[in-house]
Amino acid sequence: MLKVNAVPALSDNYIWIVSTGDSARVAVVDPGEAAPVVDYLAEHGLEIAAYLITHHHGDHVGGLASLLADHPAPVYGPAAEADKIGNIDHRVAGGDRFTLDFLGATFEVIDVPGHTLGHIAYDTDGVLLAGDALFRAGCGRVFEGTHDQMQQSLARLRALPDNTRVYGGHEYTQKNLAFATTVEPDNAAIGAAIADVDALRAGGRPSLPGTLAEEKRINPFLRWDDDNVRAAASRHAGRELDDPGEIFGVLRDWKDAN
Ligand code: ZN
Ligand code: FE
């Protein structure tokens, strides 16, 4: 099983370091900043053998050019945003697969437009590198795509196996859970997640990853077809909602206004 470690960066980003645990060669996911990665490598005696990029936002790629100068390695990134990002050696898109031999792992690329239009996620060996598409108990804001697009992207991620560990790009979980409980005050799984996450954060530990099994129980943005979530979104909208994209959109706007 792959090991995935968090390097906290900027105010609330995580740069994920993927390794086998018994080799010094690692993949670095979404390096929004260089310095914390350099420190982490030095502290643990690691070397970068690949970079994986999910989307073009600065808090995910801001450290890439400077890391490449001292730690050259192949860069995988979204084909549709490669020109914007620069330094992408392998332009990948949904349905593509590639193998990183140093990890003994094959990655499947999933298109998840919505937060940005070219946003991709990487899935391998029960590990989902989700960028700003899916967080624990939440999802990214819809900046470039439509609500329908984002809902369809999340449906694609929701179809992955329940035991998938979800590594999103931000520590937003406590705020996400506060919103989740606003939508579903009677959902006991959300209460349990709040206790779990509060304990992790009090201990200075990341609340990520979540599992897809848990996400399906607590994340309102994956629960458009749950009766309680649909009813809550309908009450909020002031009319009966049925369409998944519309339910998602009402929830997204509701959270953005919170
Ligand atoms: Zn972003
Ligand atoms: Fe971000």
mmCIF file of all heavy atoms in Angstrom, residues 108-143:
data_model
loop_
_atom_site.group_PDB
_atom_site.id
_atom_site.type_symbol
_atom_site.label_atom_id
_atom_site.label_comp_id
_atom_site.label_asym_id
_atom_site.label_seq_id
_atom_site.Cartn_x
_atom_site.Cartn_y
_atom_site.Cartn_z
ATOM 1 N N GLU A 108 -4.666 6.285 -12.688
ATOM 2 C CA GLU A 108 -5.736 6.552 -13.643
ATOM 3 C C GLU A 108 -6.142 8.008 -13.489
ATOM 4 O O GLU A 108 -6.337 8.498 -12.381
ATOM 5 C CB GLU A 108 -6.929 5.637 -13.349
ATOM 6 C CG GLU A 108 -8.141 6.016 -14.160
ATOM 7 C CD GLU A 108 -8.898 4.821 -14.698
ATOM 8 O OE1 GLU A 108 -8.677 3.710 -14.184
ATOM 9 O OE2 GLU A 108 -9.691 5.014 -15.629
ATOM 10 N N VAL A 109 -6.251 8.695 -14.626
ATOM 11 C CA VAL A 109 -6.613 10.107 -14.612
ATOM 12 C C VAL A 109 -8.129 10.235 -14.776
ATOM 13 O O VAL A 109 -8.729 9.562 -15.613
ATOM 14 C CB VAL A 109 -5.885 10.863 -15.739
ATOM 15 C CG1 VAL A 109 -6.264 12.350 -15.727
ATOM 16 C CG2 VAL A 109 -4.373 10.690 -15.613
ATOM 17 N N ILE A 110 -8.730 11.078 -13.937
ATOM 18 C CA ILE A 110 -10.179 11.301 -13.985
ATOM 19 C C ILE A 110 -10.426 12.795 -14.230
ATOM 20 O O ILE A 110 -9.872 13.642 -13.530
ATOM 21 C CB ILE A 110 -10.840 10.881 -12.655
ATOM 22 C CG1 ILE A 110 -10.510 9.414 -12.343
ATOM 23 C CG2 ILE A 110 -12.353 11.101 -12.705
ATOM 24 C CD1 ILE A 110 -10.912 8.976 -10.945
ATOM 25 N N ASP A 111 -11.233 13.110 -15.235
ATOM 26 C CA ASP A 111 -11.602 14.505 -15.487
ATOM 27 C C ASP A 111 -12.607 14.954 -14.433
ATOM 28 O O ASP A 111 -13.640 14.295 -14.243
ATOM 29 C CB ASP A 111 -12.260 14.639 -16.867
ATOM 30 C CG ASP A 111 -11.239 14.705 -17.988
ATOM 31 O OD1 ASP A 111 -10.121 15.215 -17.756
ATOM 32 O OD2 ASP A 111 -11.561 14.249 -19.100
ATOM 33 N N VAL A 112 -12.313 16.058 -13.760
ATOM 34 C CA VAL A 112 -13.250 16.578 -12.752
ATOM 35 C C VAL A 112 -13.444 18.092 -12.922
ATOM 36 O O VAL A 112 -13.178 18.870 -12.014
ATOM 37 C CB VAL A 112 -12.803 16.235 -11.308
ATOM 38 C CG1 VAL A 112 -13.026 14.763 -11.023
ATOM 39 C CG2 VAL A 112 -11.335 16.582 -11.058
ATOM 40 N N PRO A 113 -13.937 18.523 -14.101
ATOM 41 C CA PRO A 113 -14.108 19.957 -14.327
ATOM 42 C C PRO A 113 -15.158 20.557 -13.390
ATOM 43 O O PRO A 113 -16.083 19.863 -12.960
ATOM 44 C CB PRO A 113 -14.585 20.020 -15.787
ATOM 45 C CG PRO A 113 -15.256 18.706 -16.031
ATOM 46 C CD PRO A 113 -14.447 17.713 -15.225
ATOM 47 N N GLY A 114 -14.984 21.840 -13.109
ATOM 48 C CA GLY A 114 -15.937 22.547 -12.250
ATOM 49 C C GLY A 114 -15.220 23.643 -11.484
ATOM 50 O O GLY A 114 -15.438 24.825 -11.721
ATOM 51 N N HIS A 115 -14.330 23.227 -10.587
ATOM 52 C CA HIS A 115 -13.500 24.200 -9.860
ATOM 53 C C HIS A 115 -12.657 24.978 -10.879
ATOM 54 O O HIS A 115 -12.633 26.206 -10.886
ATOM 55 C CB HIS A 115 -12.633 23.447 -8.860
ATOM 56 C CG HIS A 115 -11.699 24.306 -8.062
ATOM 57 N ND1 HIS A 115 -12.128 25.143 -7.062
ATOM 58 C CD2 HIS A 115 -10.350 24.434 -8.106
ATOM 59 C CE1 HIS A 115 -11.071 25.772 -6.535
ATOM 60 N NE2 HIS A 115 -9.990 25.363 -7.149
ATOM 61 N N THR A 116 -11.947 24.228 -11.743
ATOM 62 C CA THR A 116 -11.391 24.782 -12.984
ATOM 63 C C THR A 116 -11.830 23.844 -14.105
ATOM 64 O O THR A 116 -12.214 22.698 -13.857
ATOM 65 C CB THR A 116 -9.849 24.882 -12.967
ATOM 66 O OG1 THR A 116 -9.292 23.552 -12.969
ATOM 67 C CG2 THR A 116 -9.348 25.675 -11.772
ATOM 68 N N LEU A 117 -11.731 24.325 -15.345
ATOM 69 C CA LEU A 117 -12.269 23.530 -16.463
ATOM 70 C C LEU A 117 -11.416 22.321 -16.788
ATOM 71 O O LEU A 117 -11.913 21.309 -17.260
ATOM 72 C CB LEU A 117 -12.424 24.421 -17.701
ATOM 73 C CG LEU A 117 -13.652 25.315 -17.671
ATOM 74 C CD1 LEU A 117 -13.672 26.240 -18.888
ATOM 75 C CD2 LEU A 117 -14.936 24.483 -17.619
ATOM 76 N N GLY A 118 -10.089 22.428 -16.546
ATOM 77 C CA GLY A 118 -9.214 21.316 -16.901
ATOM 78 C C GLY A 118 -8.830 20.443 -15.714
ATOM 79 O O GLY A 118 -7.966 19.571 -15.844
ATOM 80 N N HIS A 119 -9.442 20.676 -14.579
ATOM 81 C CA HIS A 119 -9.060 19.983 -13.334
ATOM 82 C C HIS A 119 -9.111 18.465 -13.527
ATOM 83 O O HIS A 119 -10.081 17.930 -14.050
ATOM 84 C CB HIS A 119 -10.028 20.400 -12.228
ATOM 85 C CG HIS A 119 -9.541 20.154 -10.826
ATOM 86 N ND1 HIS A 119 -9.046 18.944 -10.409
ATOM 87 C CD2 HIS A 119 -9.474 20.971 -9.748
ATOM 88 C CE1 HIS A 119 -8.700 19.027 -9.118
ATOM 89 N NE2 HIS A 119 -8.949 20.262 -8.702
ATOM 90 N N ILE A 120 -8.048 17.794 -13.063
ATOM 91 C CA ILE A 120 -8.042 16.328 -13.085
ATOM 92 C C ILE A 120 -7.755 15.807 -11.685
ATOM 93 O O ILE A 120 -7.226 16.528 -10.829
ATOM 94 C CB ILE A 120 -6.978 15.762 -14.068
ATOM 95 C CG1 ILE A 120 -5.582 16.302 -13.746
ATOM 96 C CG2 ILE A 120 -7.362 16.075 -15.512
ATOM 97 C CD1 ILE A 120 -4.464 15.651 -14.557
ATOM 98 N N ALA A 121 -8.115 14.535 -11.470
ATOM 99 C CA ALA A 121 -7.762 13.832 -10.240
ATOM 100 C C ALA A 121 -6.989 12.583 -10.643
ATOM 101 O O ALA A 121 -7.073 12.132 -11.795
ATOM 102 C CB ALA A 121 -9.023 13.467 -9.467
ATOM 103 N N TYR A 122 -6.201 12.065 -9.713
ATOM 104 C CA TYR A 122 -5.404 10.862 -9.966
ATOM 105 C C TYR A 122 -5.842 9.790 -8.985
ATOM 106 O O TYR A 122 -5.928 10.032 -7.786
ATOM 107 C CB TYR A 122 -3.915 11.147 -9.744
ATOM 108 C CG TYR A 122 -3.331 12.224 -10.619
ATOM 109 C CD1 TYR A 122 -3.320 13.556 -10.201
ATOM 110 C CD2 TYR A 122 -2.758 11.916 -11.858
ATOM 111 C CE1 TYR A 122 -2.763 14.554 -10.994
ATOM 112 C CE2 TYR A 122 -2.196 12.907 -12.654
ATOM 113 C CZ TYR A 122 -2.199 14.225 -12.212
ATOM 114 O OH TYR A 122 -1.649 15.207 -12.998
ATOM 115 N N ASP A 123 -6.073 8.586 -9.529
ATOM 116 C CA ASP A 123 -6.535 7.482 -8.689
ATOM 117 C C ASP A 123 -5.578 6.306 -8.840
ATOM 118 O O ASP A 123 -5.257 5.906 -9.963
ATOM 119 C CB ASP A 123 -7.947 7.071 -9.129
ATOM 120 C CG ASP A 123 -8.495 5.923 -8.304
ATOM 121 O OD1 ASP A 123 -8.487 6.024 -7.070
ATOM 122 O OD2 ASP A 123 -8.932 4.921 -8.903
ATOM 123 N N THR A 124 -5.092 5.793 -7.726
ATOM 124 C CA THR A 124 -4.240 4.618 -7.769
ATOM 125 C C THR A 124 -4.333 3.844 -6.473
ATOM 126 O O THR A 124 -4.352 4.446 -5.392
ATOM 127 C CB THR A 124 -2.761 4.998 -8.013
ATOM 128 O OG1 THR A 124 -1.998 3.787 -8.121
ATOM 129 C CG2 THR A 124 -2.167 5.846 -6.900
ATOM 130 N N ASP A 125 -4.444 2.535 -6.556
ATOM 131 C CA ASP A 125 -4.222 1.700 -5.381
ATOM 132 C C ASP A 125 -4.986 2.196 -4.152
ATOM 133 O O ASP A 125 -4.453 2.249 -3.038
ATOM 134 C CB ASP A 125 -2.695 1.698 -5.095
ATOM 135 C CG ASP A 125 -2.303 0.683 -4.018
ATOM 136 O OD1 ASP A 125 -3.043 -0.285 -3.833
ATOM 137 O OD2 ASP A 125 -1.256 0.880 -3.366
ATOM 138 N N GLY A 126 -6.244 2.588 -4.337
ATOM 139 C CA GLY A 126 -7.046 3.046 -3.200
ATOM 140 C C GLY A 126 -6.734 4.448 -2.721
ATOM 141 O O GLY A 126 -7.218 4.876 -1.674
ATOM 142 N N VAL A 127 -5.918 5.176 -3.490
ATOM 143 C CA VAL A 127 -5.555 6.549 -3.143
ATOM 144 C C VAL A 127 -6.108 7.484 -4.219
ATOM 145 O O VAL A 127 -5.812 7.303 -5.400
ATOM 146 C CB VAL A 127 -4.020 6.712 -3.073
ATOM 147 C CG1 VAL A 127 -3.626 8.188 -2.994
ATOM 148 C CG2 VAL A 127 -3.460 5.946 -1.877
ATOM 149 N N LEU A 128 -6.919 8.453 -3.808
ATOM 150 C CA LEU A 128 -7.427 9.450 -4.750
ATOM 151 C C LEU A 128 -6.801 10.801 -4.419
ATOM 152 O O LEU A 128 -6.998 11.344 -3.333
ATOM 153 C CB LEU A 128 -8.951 9.560 -4.658
ATOM 154 C CG LEU A 128 -9.579 10.626 -5.560
ATOM 155 C CD1 LEU A 128 -9.426 10.253 -7.035
ATOM 156 C CD2 LEU A 128 -11.051 10.843 -5.206
ATOM 157 N N LEU A 129 -6.041 11.322 -5.389
ATOM 158 C CA LEU A 129 -5.444 12.653 -5.245
ATOM 159 C C LEU A 129 -6.413 13.609 -5.927
ATOM 160 O O LEU A 129 -6.485 13.677 -7.152
ATOM 161 C CB LEU A 129 -4.054 12.668 -5.888
ATOM 162 C CG LEU A 129 -3.119 11.587 -5.308
ATOM 163 C CD1 LEU A 129 -1.895 11.386 -6.183
ATOM 164 C CD2 LEU A 129 -2.724 11.943 -3.879
ATOM 165 N N ALA A 130 -7.189 14.327 -5.111
ATOM 166 C CA ALA A 130 -8.393 14.993 -5.620
ATOM 167 C C ALA A 130 -8.227 16.487 -5.849
ATOM 168 O O ALA A 130 -9.141 17.124 -6.375
ATOM 169 C CB ALA A 130 -9.557 14.751 -4.665
ATOM 170 N N GLY A 131 -7.094 17.064 -5.458
ATOM 171 C CA GLY A 131 -6.919 18.512 -5.646
ATOM 172 C C GLY A 131 -8.039 19.280 -4.976
ATOM 173 O O GLY A 131 -8.388 19.013 -3.815
ATOM 174 N N ASP A 132 -8.636 20.222 -5.696
ATOM 175 C CA ASP A 132 -9.725 21.021 -5.132
ATOM 176 C C ASP A 132 -11.084 20.564 -5.646
ATOM 177 O O ASP A 132 -12.055 21.318 -5.619
ATOM 178 C CB ASP A 132 -9.521 22.512 -5.451
ATOM 179 C CG ASP A 132 -8.410 23.119 -4.616
ATOM 180 O OD1 ASP A 132 -7.883 22.423 -3.723
ATOM 181 O OD2 ASP A 132 -8.056 24.293 -4.866
ATOM 182 N N ALA A 133 -11.165 19.307 -6.126
ATOM 183 C CA ALA A 133 -12.466 18.786 -6.547
ATOM 184 C C ALA A 133 -13.231 18.295 -5.320
ATOM 185 O O ALA A 133 -14.391 18.654 -5.111
ATOM 186 C CB ALA A 133 -12.300 17.670 -7.563
ATOM 187 N N LEU A 134 -12.563 17.481 -4.502
ATOM 188 C CA LEU A 134 -13.242 16.864 -3.357
ATOM 189 C C LEU A 134 -12.386 17.003 -2.107
ATOM 190 O O LEU A 134 -11.215 16.624 -2.103
ATOM 191 C CB LEU A 134 -13.498 15.380 -3.662
ATOM 192 C CG LEU A 134 -14.217 14.544 -2.602
ATOM 193 C CD1 LEU A 134 -15.609 15.101 -2.296
ATOM 194 C CD2 LEU A 134 -14.324 13.090 -3.077
ATOM 195 N N PHE A 135 -12.977 17.564 -1.067
ATOM 196 C CA PHE A 135 -12.322 17.668 0.237
ATOM 197 C C PHE A 135 -13.019 16.733 1.211
ATOM 198 O O PHE A 135 -14.067 16.184 0.909
ATOM 199 C CB PHE A 135 -12.435 19.098 0.781
ATOM 200 C CG PHE A 135 -11.873 20.153 -0.136
ATOM 201 C CD1 PHE A 135 -12.648 21.252 -0.494
ATOM 202 C CD2 PHE A 135 -10.584 20.053 -0.638
ATOM 203 C CE1 PHE A 135 -12.139 22.237 -1.330
ATOM 204 C CE2 PHE A 135 -10.070 21.028 -1.472
ATOM 205 C CZ PHE A 135 -10.852 22.128 -1.817
ATOM 206 N N ARG A 136 -12.479 16.610 2.411
ATOM 207 C CA ARG A 136 -13.232 15.858 3.412
ATOM 208 C C ARG A 136 -14.455 16.693 3.807
ATOM 209 O O ARG A 136 -14.320 17.833 4.246
ATOM 210 C CB ARG A 136 -12.358 15.537 4.634
ATOM 211 C CG ARG A 136 -13.087 14.617 5.616
ATOM 212 C CD ARG A 136 -12.152 13.960 6.602
ATOM 213 N NE ARG A 136 -12.917 13.142 7.555
ATOM 214 C CZ ARG A 136 -12.426 12.650 8.678
ATOM 215 N NH1 ARG A 136 -11.154 12.865 8.992
ATOM 216 N NH2 ARG A 136 -13.176 11.940 9.486
ATOM 217 N N ALA A 137 -15.622 16.128 3.582
ATOM 218 C CA ALA A 137 -16.907 16.748 3.919
ATOM 219 C C ALA A 137 -17.257 17.973 3.080
ATOM 220 O O ALA A 137 -18.195 18.701 3.400
ATOM 221 C CB ALA A 137 -16.996 17.090 5.408
ATOM 222 N N GLY A 138 -16.511 18.208 2.009
ATOM 223 C CA GLY A 138 -16.826 19.357 1.170
ATOM 224 C C GLY A 138 -16.277 19.192 -0.235
ATOM 225 O O GLY A 138 -15.760 18.129 -0.593
ATOM 226 N N CYS A 139 -16.397 20.243 -1.025
ATOM 227 C CA CYS A 139 -15.830 20.220 -2.376
ATOM 228 C C CYS A 139 -15.368 21.627 -2.730
ATOM 229 O O CYS A 139 -15.651 22.576 -2.007
ATOM 230 C CB CYS A 139 -16.861 19.735 -3.397
ATOM 231 S SG CYS A 139 -18.167 20.932 -3.760
ATOM 232 N N GLY A 140 -14.640 21.730 -3.829
ATOM 233 C CA GLY A 140 -14.127 23.025 -4.241
ATOM 234 C C GLY A 140 -15.238 23.942 -4.738
ATOM 235 O O GLY A 140 -16.311 23.485 -5.144
ATOM 236 N N ARG A 141 -14.960 25.228 -4.697
ATOM 237 C CA ARG A 141 -15.906 26.182 -5.281
ATOM 238 C C ARG A 141 -15.919 26.008 -6.797
ATOM 239 O O ARG A 141 -14.913 25.613 -7.384
ATOM 240 C CB ARG A 141 -15.483 27.619 -4.955
ATOM 241 C CG ARG A 141 -15.768 27.996 -3.525
ATOM 242 C CD ARG A 141 -15.407 29.463 -3.289
ATOM 243 N NE ARG A 141 -15.573 29.778 -1.879
ATOM 244 C CZ ARG A 141 -16.401 30.734 -1.418
ATOM 245 N NH1 ARG A 141 -17.084 31.491 -2.247
ATOM 246 N NH2 ARG A 141 -16.509 30.945 -0.124
ATOM 247 N N VAL A 142 -17.032 26.340 -7.395
ATOM 248 C CA VAL A 142 -17.155 26.218 -8.849
ATOM 249 C C VAL A 142 -16.772 27.562 -9.469
ATOM 250 O O VAL A 142 -17.582 28.475 -9.537
ATOM 251 C CB VAL A 142 -18.588 25.803 -9.235
ATOM 252 C CG1 VAL A 142 -18.729 25.702 -10.747
ATOM 253 C CG2 VAL A 142 -18.939 24.480 -8.562
ATOM 254 N N PHE A 143 -15.506 27.666 -9.877
ATOM 255 C CA PHE A 143 -15.010 28.930 -10.427
ATOM 256 C C PHE A 143 -15.172 29.010 -11.942
ATOM 257 O O PHE A 143 -15.525 30.039 -12.481
ATOM 258 C CB PHE A 143 -13.525 29.112 -10.080
ATOM 259 C CG PHE A 143 -13.275 29.462 -8.646
ATOM 260 C CD1 PHE A 143 -12.418 28.695 -7.877
ATOM 261 C CD2 PHE A 143 -13.885 30.564 -8.055
ATOM 262 C CE1 PHE A 143 -12.168 29.017 -6.549
ATOM 263 C CE2 PHE A 143 -13.644 30.897 -6.722
ATOM 264 C CZ PHE A 143 -12.781 30.114 -5.970
#
